Amino acid sequence: QVQLVESGGGLVQPGGSLRLSCAASGRIFSLNAMGWYRQAPGKERELVATTTNGGRYVDSVKGRFTISRDGAKNTVYLQMNSLKPEDTAVYYCNAVIRTYWGDTSKDYWGQGTQVTVSS
């Protein structure tokens, strides 16, 4: 089937940077949008950034985070700069994929990677 493998999370001090990566592999007929979501303890999962329409971001990360995509590698990246404690969450990669001609587009998710911003 389809696998999304994330990497790049960790512990960083406020003001620091991290770069998340997510590679999609497996049975992929077409890969449409890719994006990143996050879920903090006690909160609902929220969209952080998506590659649709040239890149869309939640207001709280605009100007600090940048999403990019390598189509040849089926990989999406999230460059996170000027990190704040409130960015602490588990970050999940999302991809909208069709696995064969005639298939409907479906959401696939990575396993999540922890990002902790703390001094």
Side-chain angles (χ1 to χ4, degrees), residues 57-95:
Y57 302 87
V58 66
D59 286 346
S60 60
V61 308
K62 286 180 180 178
R64 301 188 296 121
F65 290 11
T66 303
I67 191 170
S68 60
R69 178 175 167 179
D70 185 334
K73 297 180 179 180
N74 289 337
T75 299
V76 65
Y77 305 93
L78 186 68
Q79 178 66 43
M80 304 185 294
N81 299 328
S82 302
L83 282 161
K84 304 176 181 180
E86 51 263 43
D87 295 318
T88 295
V90 178
Y91 284 70
Y92 296 91
C93 175
N94 169 265

Side-chain angles (χ1 to χ4, degrees), residues 33-67:
M34 299 188 78
W36 291 93
Y37 289 69
R38 66 186 180 187
Q39 187 166 20
K43 295 187 177 182
E44 294 186 353
R45 188 175 297 190
E46 67 169 349
L47 173 65
V48 177
T50 176
T51 58
T52 57
N53 296 326
R56 292 169 50 213
Y57 302 87
V58 66
D59 286 346
S60 60
V61 308
K62 286 180 180 178
R64 301 188 296 121
F65 290 11
T66 303
I67 191 170

